[in-house]
Amino acid sequence: MFQLNFICALHVLNVFCLASATLNTWTVDTGTGSSTSYSFAINSVKVIEHSSQSPCVYVGSGTTIFNEYHGNFDIEDTIERRIPLSLLTAVSDRQYKFASVSDSSLSVTLTLVDGDPFGEIQFTDLPDGYDRIWIRLVAEESEYVYGGGEQFTSLNLRGRKYPIWTREQGVGRNKSSIVTFYADTLSGGAGGDYYTTYYGEPTFFSSRGYMVHSTATYYTILDFTSTSVHELEVHGNVGSLQVAGGVDMTISDLSQVYVKATGVMPELPSWVSEGAIVGLQGGTDRMNQLLNKVEDNGVKVSAVWIQDWAGKIRTSFGSRVFWNWEWNDEQYPGLDTEIPKLKARGVRVLVYINPYLNIEGPLFKEADSLGYFVKNSSDQTYIADFGEFYCGTIDLTNPAAVNWYKARIVKRALDLGISGWMADFSEYLMVDNAKFFSGQSALDLHNQWPLLWAKLNREAVEEAGKLGEVVFWMRAGYAGLSKYTTLFWAGDQNVDYTVSDGLPSVIPAALSAGLQGIGMTHYDIGLYTSLFGVTRDKELLLRSAEMAVFTPTMRTHEGNRPSENWQLYSDVDTMKQFARLVKMYTALSNYTKAAYADYKLTGKPLQRALSSEFSQDSGSWEVEHEYMYGEELLVAPVLQANVSEWKVYIPPGNWVHLWTDKSYTGPMKTTVPAPLGQPPVFYKHTSSYPWSEIKLPLVPPPPPTSSTASHDHSHSTEL
Ligand SMILES: *[C@@H]1O[C@H](CO)[C@@H](O)[C@H](O)[C@H]1NC(C)=O
Ligand SMILES: *[C@@H]1O[C@H](CO)[C@@H](O)[C@H](O)[C@H]1NC(C)=O
Ligand SMILES: *[C@@H]1O[C@H](CO)[C@@H](O)[C@H](O)[C@H]1NC(C)=O
Ligand SMILES: *[C@@H]1O[C@H](CO)[C@@H](O)[C@H](O)[C@H]1NC(C)=O
């Protein structure tokens, strides 16, 4: 599976290699002659270099203030001391003490441990009075680094710094953009930046043939700005770095090692691939009317997703769901009898939950009387502002609270007959004065909170015996998420085509998360955030839908302001075009199943970077907005408005353009016709999949008047 024969040949004990193909072995080079430089290599890949002139460890102290506003953290960090530990003493051939030249009691000892699947570098605790450590790793100018959890702006992390801190991804995510400027100034710093994400993790994969995962969950900064060193800054004790490597290992090989250790997601329920999940709101009647309408126009619907099943409130952001996670029978009268009826005609019902409860709701009162919320420093329930409404946060470190949530919320929803939910949020965990049942600190728990949330959801599904029938999807994460979640989605993109936060951004997001085990992701068709006059038009809805054909799940979202944005049901032509795309998606289901089987076996995600599949091809490393879907499909989505052709990069090999049957031999760049509904997709010419079944004819254009005349304004009664 992995290309490790060569690595084994480097080892002294070949027999050891055969017993354990992924053993990671450290070697230490103490330099030659009078040189005092040391280097540590894992399976012959140099990871750390140290000399008294350029030390590899620094310790320091400072103050870090986490200013939180609606899940956006403005982190003010002041470094007071940063002391190089330049003096190296070998304690043994596996143990090295690094000390300050001016104060030898100021030291950290590092132990090298061989291992499978990871070797480790273990660190002793920070000296008293110090609160952070910097570790420098070897970098080369031409090296590529991927990972960092889910990263939206770019897949290659070189040239930038990545603070790892779970939070809102931000609106616009580009300090030079007007949308971000407005979000920052008008919405309390909600604009975000290139690194802001719901799911960061201190893990990276280098094209030099090694990977590093820091096991510390504290605030960590991965700094890839230098051409000669990478630097990890951990605010707290590192504990250990897990490291794997091999001179011949690609980023994909390294990712597979990591994913094997962290775990793969379970297969999606088969109903997911039988149609689209359609996001609808507004009560039982409206749900049924719109469902009938889209079905009458040919859309195969696998499920309706009613995020407002618990009711709605109104805020200036738009209408918001009432965070009281139980069926609201005023909003959805008769839902209990509706669910089996819909199921009988092949349509499931999906809902929405998150780990917070609105103080106005009965569930809050129940959980509060039981003491199940995170507390503040005066041992009272920590009430957090979520934007014109206030909530308690279920204390996910309290087993009784977790059991209450599973029984009182998840199991009751399952008993109602629902088949899944968006398991939203969990990134907001405040760190100012929050106290937890477990006694852990908020700084320790913040990044782990999404894992605890994912675990609760997964356990509730398994305890009900519904794994494989029910799907929940998360946007927040941390290292190890793939062990728990059943599906992932990219969160709240802007309804535009910007690289930093629009349609293009979901591609690096899928590719980066995929390397850390999130083999199956999807995104809101139509995208989500519509603020400051940016709205979704029909073309964006359809362009985002045509890319979603080549992902494991098609799910629409009405967005934060449904009435101002184009909807699936806004006109007949949209529904007809969408119906055709859903047919393509269902015709691909066997292909997707095979890609899942491959992921389960190898750890390779369904969506893969070109450079993961064609690591020898330099051109593939430059392409971050195309991807391989499984082994045989190259997807180069249209990511701009108003275009009818698209420039694509074709990686090495012989490819057939799905729509024209024209052959291409890569590597090459070319331009292909790409009208709406025909996203540039190429299959390997050796593929035996029945592609003709996916290649459906375009929907004939509507008669000139119909598009505006039939625009449905029924949804403009605000929800
Ligand atoms: C703790 O929360 C309560 C509300 O539950 C609030 O009244 C009190 O001021 C808070 N105390 C602190 C120190 O934040
Ligand atoms: C950020 O915004 C500026 C100004 O609109 C634009 O030129 C630049 O390309 C954007 N960067 C990304 C990564 O989207
Ligand atoms: C998937 O494969 C099965 C078994 O070969 C076949 O019966 C079925 O029609 C295929 N489904 C689709 C959608 O092509
Ligand atoms: C697309 O073209 C139309 C007509 O030329 C124009 O009105 C519209 O603003 C363009 N849309 C974008 C997003 O550029």
Coordinates of all heavy atoms in Angstrom, one line a residue, residues 357-429:
L357 N -28.7 26.0 24.0 CA -30.1 26.1 24.2 C -30.5 27.5 24.6 O -29.8 28.1 25.5 CB -30.6 25.1 25.3 CG -30.5 23.7 24.9 CD1 -30.7 22.7 26.1 CD2 -31.6 23.3 23.8
N358 N -31.4 28.1 23.8 CA -31.9 29.4 24.1 C -32.6 29.6 25.4 O -33.4 28.7 25.8 CB -32.9 29.8 22.9 CG -33.3 31.3 22.9 OD1 -33.5 31.9 24.0 ND2 -33.4 31.8 21.7
I359 N -32.2 30.6 26.2 CA -32.7 30.7 27.6 C -34.2 30.9 27.6 O -34.8 30.7 28.6 CB -32.0 31.9 28.3 CG1 -32.2 33.2 27.6 CG2 -30.5 31.6 28.5 CD1 -31.8 34.4 28.4
E360 N -34.8 31.3 26.4 CA -36.3 31.4 26.4 C -37.0 30.1 26.3 O -38.2 30.1 26.4 CB -36.6 32.3 25.2 CG -35.9 33.6 25.0 CD -36.4 34.6 26.1 OE1 -37.5 34.5 26.6 OE2 -35.5 35.5 26.5
G361 N -36.3 29.0 26.0 CA -37.0 27.8 25.7 C -37.1 26.8 26.9 O -36.3 26.9 27.9
P362 N -38.1 25.9 26.9 CA -38.3 25.0 28.0 C -37.1 24.0 28.2 O -36.8 23.6 29.3 CB -39.5 24.2 27.6 CG -39.8 24.5 26.2 CD -39.2 25.8 25.9
L363 N -36.4 23.7 27.1 CA -35.3 22.8 27.2 C -34.1 23.4 28.0 O -33.4 22.7 28.8 CB -34.8 22.3 25.9 CG -35.7 21.3 25.2 CD1 -35.3 21.0 23.7 CD2 -35.7 19.9 26.0
F364 N -33.9 24.7 27.8 CA -32.9 25.4 28.6 C -33.2 25.3 30.1 O -32.4 24.9 30.9 CB -32.8 26.9 28.2 CG -32.0 27.7 29.2 CD1 -30.6 27.8 28.9 CD2 -32.5 28.3 30.3 CE1 -29.8 28.5 29.8 CE2 -31.7 29.0 31.2 CZ -30.3 29.1 30.9
K365 N -34.5 25.5 30.4 CA -34.9 25.5 31.8 C -34.7 24.1 32.4 O -34.2 24.0 33.6 CB -36.3 26.0 32.0 CG -36.4 27.5 31.6 CD -37.8 28.1 31.7 CE -37.7 29.6 31.3 NZ -37.7 29.8 29.8
E366 N -35.0 23.1 31.7 CA -34.8 21.7 32.2 C -33.3 21.4 32.4 O -33.0 21.0 33.5 CB -35.4 20.8 31.1 CG -35.6 19.4 31.6 CD -36.3 18.5 30.5 OE1 -37.2 19.0 29.8 OE2 -35.9 17.4 30.3
A367 N -32.5 21.7 31.4 CA -31.1 21.4 31.5 C -30.5 22.3 32.6 O -29.6 21.9 33.4 CB -30.4 21.7 30.2
D368 N -30.9 23.5 32.7 CA -30.4 24.4 33.7 C -30.7 24.0 35.1 O -29.8 24.0 36.0 CB -31.0 25.9 33.5 CG -30.1 26.9 34.2 OD1 -28.8 26.7 34.2 OD2 -30.6 27.9 34.6
S369 N -31.9 23.5 35.3 CA -32.3 23.0 36.7 C -31.4 21.8 37.0 O -31.2 21.5 38.2 CB -33.8 22.7 36.8 OG -34.1 21.6 36.0
L370 N -31.0 21.0 36.0 CA -30.1 19.9 36.3 C -28.6 20.2 36.4 O -27.8 19.4 36.6 CB -30.4 18.8 35.2 CG -31.8 18.2 35.1 CD1 -32.0 17.5 33.8 CD2 -31.9 17.2 36.3
G371 N -28.3 21.5 36.1 CA -26.9 21.9 36.2 C -26.1 21.4 35.0 O -24.9 21.2 35.2
Y372 N -26.7 21.3 33.8 CA -26.0 20.7 32.7 C -25.2 21.7 31.8 O -24.7 21.3 30.8 CB -26.9 19.9 31.9 CG -27.3 18.6 32.6 CD1 -28.4 17.9 32.2 CD2 -26.6 18.0 33.7 CE1 -28.8 16.7 32.8 CE2 -26.9 16.9 34.3 CZ -28.1 16.2 33.9 OH -28.4 15.0 34.5
F373 N -25.2 23.0 32.2 CA -24.5 23.9 31.3 C -23.1 24.2 31.8 O -22.8 24.1 33.0 CB -25.3 25.2 31.2 CG -26.6 25.0 30.4 CD1 -27.8 25.1 31.1 CD2 -26.6 24.8 29.1 CE1 -29.0 25.0 30.3 CE2 -27.7 24.6 28.3 CZ -29.0 24.7 29.0
V374 N -22.3 24.7 30.9 CA -21.0 25.3 31.3 C -21.3 26.4 32.2 O -22.2 27.2 32.1 CB -20.3 25.8 30.0 CG1 -19.0 26.5 30.3 CG2 -20.0 24.6 29.0
K375 N -20.4 26.5 33.2 CA -20.6 27.6 34.3 C -19.6 28.7 34.0 O -18.7 28.6 33.3 CB -20.3 27.0 35.7 CG -21.2 25.8 36.0 CD -22.5 26.2 36.5 CE -23.3 25.0 37.1 NZ -23.6 23.9 36.2
N376 N -19.9 29.8 34.7 CA -18.9 30.9 34.7 C -18.2 30.9 36.0 O -18.4 30.1 36.9 CB -19.5 32.3 34.3 CG -20.6 32.7 35.3 OD1 -20.6 32.3 36.5 ND2 -21.4 33.6 34.9
S377 N -17.3 31.9 36.2 CA -16.4 31.9 37.4 C -17.2 32.1 38.7 O -16.7 31.8 39.8 CB -15.3 33.0 37.3 OG -15.9 34.2 37.0
S378 N -18.4 32.6 38.6 CA -19.2 32.6 39.8 C -20.1 31.4 39.9 O -21.1 31.4 40.7 CB -20.0 33.9 39.9 OG -20.6 34.3 38.7
D379 N -19.7 30.3 39.2 CA -20.5 29.0 39.3 C -21.9 29.1 38.9 O -22.7 28.3 39.4 CB -20.3 28.4 40.7 CG -19.0 27.7 40.9 OD1 -18.5 27.1 39.9 OD2 -18.3 27.9 41.9
Q380 N -22.2 30.1 38.1 CA -23.6 30.2 37.6 C -23.5 29.8 36.1 O -22.4 29.9 35.5 CB -24.1 31.6 37.7 CG -24.5 31.9 39.2 CD -24.9 33.3 39.3 OE1 -24.0 34.2 39.3 NE2 -26.2 33.6 39.5
T381 N -24.7 29.5 35.5 CA -24.7 29.1 34.1 C -24.1 30.2 33.2 O -24.5 31.4 33.4 CB -26.1 28.8 33.7 OG1 -26.5 27.7 34.4 CG2 -26.2 28.5 32.2
Y382 N -23.2 29.9 32.4 CA -22.6 30.9 31.5 C -23.6 31.1 30.4 O -23.9 30.3 29.6 CB -21.2 30.3 30.9 CG -20.4 31.3 30.2 CD1 -19.1 31.6 30.6 CD2 -20.9 32.0 29.1 CE1 -18.3 32.5 29.9 CE2 -20.1 33.0 28.5 CZ -18.8 33.2 28.9 OH -18.1 34.1 28.2
I383 N -24.0 32.4 30.3 CA -25.0 32.7 29.3 C -24.2 33.5 28.2 O -23.6 34.5 28.5 CB -26.1 33.7 29.9 CG1 -26.8 33.0 31.1 CG2 -27.1 34.0 28.8 CD1 -27.6 31.8 30.8
A384 N -24.3 32.9 27.0 CA -23.5 33.5 25.9 C -24.5 34.2 24.9 O -25.6 33.7 24.6 CB -22.7 32.5 25.2
D385 N -24.0 35.3 24.3 CA -24.7 36.1 23.3 C -24.5 35.4 22.0 O -23.3 35.4 21.5 CB -24.2 37.5 23.4 CG -24.8 38.4 22.3 OD1 -25.7 37.9 21.6 OD2 -24.4 39.5 22.2
F386 N -25.5 35.0 21.3 CA -25.4 34.5 20.0 C -25.9 35.4 18.9 O -26.2 35.0 17.8 CB -26.1 33.1 19.9 CG -25.2 32.0 20.4 CD1 -25.1 31.7 21.8 CD2 -24.3 31.3 19.6 CE1 -24.3 30.7 22.3 CE2 -23.5 30.3 20.1 CZ -23.4 30.0 21.4
G387 N -26.1 36.7 19.2 CA -26.6 37.6 18.2 C -28.1 37.9 18.4 O -28.9 37.3 17.7
E388 N -28.4 38.7 19.4 CA -29.7 39.1 19.7 C -30.5 38.0 20.4 O -31.7 38.0 20.4 CB -30.5 39.7 18.5 CG -29.8 40.9 18.0 CD -30.2 41.3 16.5 OE1 -31.4 41.2 16.3 OE2 -29.3 41.6 15.7
F389 N -29.9 36.9 20.8 CA -30.5 35.9 21.7 C -29.4 35.3 22.5 O -28.2 35.3 22.1 CB -31.4 34.9 20.9 CG -30.6 34.0 20.0 CD1 -30.2 32.7 20.3 CD2 -30.3 34.4 18.7 CE1 -29.5 31.9 19.5 CE2 -29.6 33.6 17.8 CZ -29.2 32.3 18.2
Y390 N -29.8 34.7 23.6 CA -28.8 34.2 24.6 C -29.0 32.7 24.9 O -30.1 32.2 24.9 CB -29.0 35.0 25.9 CG -28.6 36.5 25.6 CD1 -29.6 37.4 25.2 CD2 -27.3 36.9 25.8 CE1 -29.2 38.7 24.8 CE2 -27.0 38.2 25.5 CZ -27.9 39.1 25.0 OH -27.6 40.4 24.7
C391 N -27.9 32.0 25.1 CA -27.9 30.6 25.3 C -27.0 30.1 26.4 O -26.0 30.7 26.7 CB -27.5 29.9 24.0 SG -28.6 30.2 22.6
G392 N -27.4 28.9 26.9 CA -26.4 28.2 27.7 C -25.8 27.1 26.8 O -26.3 26.8 25.7
T393 N -24.5 26.7 27.2 CA -23.8 25.7 26.4 C -23.8 24.4 27.2 O -23.3 24.4 28.3 CB -22.3 26.2 26.2 OG1 -22.3 27.5 25.5 CG2 -21.5 25.2 25.5
I394 N -24.3 23.4 26.6 CA -24.3 22.1 27.2 C -22.8 21.7 27.6 O -22.0 21.8 26.8 CB -24.9 21.0 26.3 CG1 -26.4 21.2 26.0 CG2 -24.7 19.6 26.9 CD1 -27.3 21.1 27.2
D395 N -22.6 21.3 28.8 CA -21.3 21.0 29.3 C -20.9 19.5 28.8 O -21.3 18.5 29.4 CB -21.1 21.0 30.8 CG -19.7 20.9 31.2 OD1 -18.9 20.4 30.4 OD2 -19.4 21.2 32.4
L396 N -20.3 19.5 27.6 CA -20.0 18.2 27.0 C -18.9 17.4 27.7 O -18.7 16.3 27.4 CB -19.5 18.5 25.5 CG -20.6 19.2 24.6 CD1 -19.9 19.5 23.3 CD2 -21.8 18.3 24.4
T397 N -18.4 18.0 28.8 CA -17.5 17.2 29.6 C -18.2 16.5 30.8 O -17.6 15.7 31.5 CB -16.3 18.0 30.3 OG1 -16.9 18.9 31.3 CG2 -15.6 18.9 29.2
N398 N -19.5 16.8 30.9 CA -20.3 16.2 32.0 C -21.1 15.0 31.4 O -22.0 15.2 30.6 CB -21.2 17.2 32.5 CG -22.1 16.7 33.6 OD1 -22.2 15.5 33.9 ND2 -22.9 17.6 34.3
P399 N -20.7 13.8 31.7 CA -21.4 12.6 31.1 C -22.9 12.6 31.3 O -23.7 12.2 30.5 CB -20.8 11.4 31.9 CG -19.5 11.9 32.4 CD -19.7 13.4 32.7
A400 N -23.4 13.2 32.5 CA -24.8 13.2 32.7 C -25.5 14.2 31.8 O -26.6 13.9 31.3 CB -25.1 13.6 34.2
A401 N -24.8 15.3 31.5 CA -25.4 16.3 30.5 C -25.4 15.7 29.1 O -26.4 15.9 28.4 CB -24.5 17.5 30.6
V402 N -24.4 15.0 28.8 CA -24.3 14.3 27.5 C -25.4 13.3 27.3 O -26.2 13.3 26.3 CB -22.9 13.7 27.2 CG1 -22.9 12.8 26.0 CG2 -21.9 14.8 27.1
N403 N -25.6 12.5 28.4 CA -26.7 11.5 28.3 C -28.1 12.2 28.3 O -28.9 11.7 27.6 CB -26.6 10.6 29.6 CG -25.5 9.6 29.4 OD1 -25.1 9.3 28.3 ND2 -24.9 9.1 30.5
W404 N -28.2 13.3 29.0 CA -29.5 14.0 28.9 C -29.8 14.5 27.5 O -30.8 14.3 27.0 CB -29.4 15.2 29.9 CG -30.7 16.0 29.8 CD1 -31.9 15.9 30.5 CD2 -30.9 17.2 29.0 NE1 -32.8 16.8 30.2 CE2 -32.2 17.7 29.3 CE3 -30.1 17.9 28.1 CZ2 -32.7 18.8 28.6 CZ3 -30.6 19.0 27.5 CH2 -31.9 19.5 27.8
Y405 N -28.7 15.1 26.9 CA -28.9 15.6 25.5 C -29.3 14.5 24.6 O -30.1 14.6 23.7 CB -27.6 16.3 25.1 CG -27.8 17.2 23.8 CD1 -28.0 18.5 23.9 CD2 -27.9 16.6 22.6 CE1 -28.1 19.3 22.8 CE2 -28.1 17.4 21.4 CZ -28.2 18.7 21.6 OH -28.4 19.5 20.4
K406 N -28.6 13.3 24.7 CA -28.8 12.2 23.8 C -30.3 11.7 24.0 O -31.0 11.5 23.0 CB -27.9 11.0 24.1 CG -26.5 11.2 23.7 CD -25.8 9.9 24.1 CE -24.3 10.0 24.2 NZ -23.7 8.8 24.8
A407 N -30.7 11.6 25.2 CA -32.0 11.0 25.5 C -33.1 12.0 25.2 O -34.1 11.7 24.5 CB -32.1 10.5 26.9
R408 N -32.9 13.2 25.7 CA -34.0 14.2 25.7 C -34.1 14.9 24.3 O -35.2 15.3 23.9 CB -33.7 15.3 26.7 CG -34.7 16.3 27.0 CD -36.0 15.7 27.6 NE -37.0 16.7 27.7 CZ -37.8 17.1 26.7 NH1 -37.6 16.5 25.5 NH2 -38.7 18.0 26.8
I409 N -33.0 15.0 23.6 CA -33.1 15.7 22.3 C -32.9 14.7 21.1 O -33.8 14.5 20.3 CB -32.1 16.8 22.3 CG1 -32.5 17.9 23.3 CG2 -31.9 17.4 20.8 CD1 -31.6 19.1 23.5
V410 N -31.8 14.0 21.1 CA -31.5 13.2 19.9 C -32.4 12.0 19.8 O -33.1 11.8 18.7 CB -30.0 12.7 19.8 CG1 -29.8 12.0 18.5 CG2 -29.1 13.9 19.9
K411 N -32.6 11.3 20.8 CA -33.4 10.1 20.8 C -34.9 10.4 20.5 O -35.6 9.7 19.7 CB -33.3 9.2 22.0 CG -31.9 8.6 22.1 CD -31.9 7.2 22.7 CE -30.4 6.7 22.7 NZ -29.7 7.1 23.9
R412 N -35.4 11.5 21.1 CA -36.8 11.9 20.8 C -36.9 12.3 19.3 O -38.0 12.1 18.7 CB -37.2 13.1 21.7 CG -37.4 12.6 23.1 CD -38.3 13.5 23.9 NE -38.2 13.1 25.3 CZ -38.9 13.7 26.2 NH1 -39.7 14.8 25.9 NH2 -38.8 13.3 27.5
A413 N -35.9 13.0 18.8 CA -36.0 13.3 17.3 C -36.0 12.0 16.5 O -36.8 11.9 15.5 CB -34.8 14.2 16.9
L414 N -35.2 11.1 16.9 CA -35.2 9.8 16.2 C -36.5 9.1 16.3 O -37.0 8.5 15.3 CB -34.0 8.9 16.7 CG -32.6 9.4 16.3 CD1 -31.5 8.6 17.0 CD2 -32.4 9.3 14.8
D415 N -37.1 9.1 17.5 CA -38.4 8.5 17.7 C -39.5 9.2 16.9 O -40.4 8.5 16.5 CB -38.8 8.6 19.2 CG -37.9 7.7 20.1 OD1 -37.3 6.8 19.5 OD2 -37.9 7.8 21.3
L416 N -39.3 10.4 16.6 CA -40.2 11.2 15.7 C -40.1 10.7 14.3 O -41.0 10.9 13.5 CB -39.9 12.7 15.8 CG -40.8 13.7 15.1 CD1 -42.2 13.7 15.8 CD2 -40.2 15.1 15.3
G417 N -39.0 10.0 14.0 CA -38.8 9.4 12.7 C -37.9 10.2 11.8 O -37.8 9.9 10.6
I418 N -37.1 11.1 12.4 CA -36.2 11.9 11.5 C -35.0 11.0 11.1 O -34.6 10.1 11.9 CB -35.9 13.3 12.1 CG1 -35.1 13.1 13.4 CG2 -37.1 14.1 12.4 CD1 -33.7 13.4 13.2
S419 N -34.4 11.3 10.0 CA -33.3 10.5 9.5 C -32.0 11.2 9.5 O -31.0 10.7 8.9 CB -33.6 10.1 8.0 OG -34.8 9.3 8.0
G420 N -31.9 12.4 10.1 CA -30.6 13.0 10.2 C -30.7 14.5 10.6 O -31.9 15.0 10.7
W421 N -29.6 15.1 10.7 CA -29.6 16.5 11.1 C -28.3 17.2 10.8 O -27.3 16.5 10.7 CB -29.9 16.7 12.6 CG -29.0 15.9 13.5 CD1 -27.9 16.3 14.0 CD2 -29.2 14.5 13.9 NE1 -27.3 15.3 14.8 CE2 -28.1 14.2 14.8 CE3 -30.3 13.6 13.7 CZ2 -28.0 12.9 15.3 CZ3 -30.1 12.3 14.3 CH2 -29.0 12.0 15.1
M422 N -28.3 18.5 10.7 CA -27.1 19.3 10.7 C -26.7 19.4 12.2 O -27.5 19.9 13.0 CB -27.4 20.7 10.1 CG -26.2 21.6 10.2 SD -26.6 23.3 9.5 CE -26.3 23.0 7.8
A423 N -25.6 18.9 12.5 CA -25.0 19.1 13.9 C -24.1 20.3 13.9 O -22.9 20.2 13.7 CB -24.3 17.8 14.3
D424 N -24.8 21.4 14.0 CA -24.1 22.7 13.7 C -23.3 23.2 14.9 O -23.4 22.7 16.0 CB -25.2 23.7 13.4 CG -24.7 24.9 12.6 OD1 -23.6 24.8 12.1 OD2 -25.5 25.9 12.4
F425 N -22.5 24.2 14.6 CA -21.7 24.9 15.7 C -20.8 24.0 16.5 O -20.4 22.9 16.0 CB -22.7 25.6 16.6 CG -23.3 26.9 16.0 CD1 -24.5 26.8 15.3 CD2 -22.6 28.1 16.2 CE1 -25.0 28.0 14.8 CE2 -23.2 29.3 15.6 CZ -24.4 29.2 15.0
S426 N -20.4 24.5 17.6 CA -19.5 24.0 18.7 C -18.2 24.7 18.6 O -17.3 24.4 19.4 CB -19.3 22.5 18.6 OG -18.5 22.1 17.5
E427 N -18.0 25.7 17.7 CA -16.7 26.5 17.6 C -16.7 27.6 18.6 O -15.7 28.3 18.7 CB -16.5 27.1 16.3 CG -17.0 26.4 15.0 CD -18.5 26.5 14.8 OE1 -19.2 27.0 15.7 OE2 -18.9 26.0 13.7
Y428 N -17.8 28.0 19.3 CA -17.9 29.2 20.0 C -17.3 29.1 21.4 O -17.4 30.1 22.1 CB -19.3 29.7 20.1 CG -19.9 30.4 18.9 CD1 -19.6 29.9 17.6 CD2 -20.7 31.4 19.0 CE1 -20.1 30.5 16.5 CE2 -21.3 32.1 17.9 CZ -21.0 31.6 16.6 OH -21.5 32.2 15.5
L429 N -16.8 28.0 21.9 CA -16.5 27.8 23.3 C -15.7 29.0 23.8 O -14.6 29.2 23.4 CB -15.8 26.5 23.6 CG -15.8 26.2 25.1 CD1 -17.1 25.8 25.6 CD2 -14.7 25.1 25.3

